[in-house]
Amino acid sequence: MLLVNRLLQSLVLPLSALVLLACSGCFWGEVDGQLFFKVTATNYDQYEELLYPGERSDRWGELFEDRVLMCSDGGDDCDLASLERSDSLDLYLPYKSQRARGMITQKGDLQITSHLDVGDAYRELATDAFSDWAYMDDEDRLYGLAGDGCAADQAAADRTGVGRCVRQELLDNSASYEPLDEDLRLVITINLPGEDDIRSTRCQDYPVTFQSSDWSLPRTLRVNYNANEPEETEEGSGVYIYGEETPPLAQCDIEVYSRLQLGIEQFSADRYGADDEDGPCTIDGDPCDVERSNEAEDTLLGTVELEELVLPDEEGSPRARGRYKLRFTSDRFSARDGKVEVSGEFNVELRLDREQITEPDRNLDVESTDSETTGG
């Protein structure tokens, strides 16, 4: 018996050590949201093995190809202004995942990363007979028109809307879609106030430490990926534009970066709703006040609302909770067709064991350094 006990102890100790090692820096979370892909005849083939399996590629070609401009009401007589593409569809996927992680990065930023397998999203839709896709049957939209069928050899005016066709395809062949395991990776990086990029003289007077008590939460932050300096259209007007020729934002003025990764395809978040059809950040025609908190069910396009934040070095369980509404544009698709819009909320515990790296000196006088370099 003594021999057995010693043998068990020799096994238990290494196992417990492995558990401690595996849990070093444990962090977890969940994301609950929704995601819409802009799928058209010009980009559907890019989504093979992402939104549909290769064995169904011919069928998707039949569904999307050879569709024409049509009157927005589905009629036969209208002016040019009323013509719309009949090949365009906003395809919905539920973005509910418990594969979400929160951490403070090496540069001291808050990063929320979540993962979703496309097949998991289809399985969730299939359990309810794709009832969340009922919008695809909306006869007020071209993609929801009832017709004689989905075959490409049918007359355009007689074809069933592309949305109805896609829904029927999934209903008839849902088992073929569930094995899709491509990882949709959503990354939101919030630039917490702290040590800023030395290359910007504007940032040198910013505080070099951050305390969450400095902020009043919830706090609405602009997603300003690849943003430029705002330029006031008229002095004192309070109306700003972000032109391509204006300088890029200083590092300390970047509030949120975000990207969406689909296989080899990467999407970058638009700057604060810059590509919104109604213009940059408008609600009922009025400019949005980014400083205001998002109201219920009224998250601003191009923003992240940080509702709660406890850092690893503060009292309490480190965590981050918030909401977001982002629009992404593909780096490869056209600006019109390569779009994804995702909204939802995250709730994550933060990683405790931030990796430490040697940071560059943040107190350099950039202007004097430049003059020494140029011999001034």
Side-chain angles (χ1 to χ4, degrees), residues 114-130:
S114 55
H115 304 262
L116 175 74
D117 285 344
V118 175
D120 291 340
Y122 281 134
R123 274 187 288 275
E124 182 170 335
L125 290 167
T127 57
D128 200 18
F130 289 87

Side-chain angles (χ1 to χ4, degrees), residues 22 50 87 118 123 140 171 190 194 221 335:
L50 288 167
D87 68 330
V118 175
R123 274 187 288 275
D140 292 333
L171 283 169
I190 297 174
L221 302 168

Side-chain angles (χ1 to χ4, degrees), residues 39 46 49 116 187 222 238 345 368:
V39 186
Q46 301 284 344
E49 298 299 343
L116 175 74
V187 181
R222 287 182 291 188
E345 57 188 30
S368 67

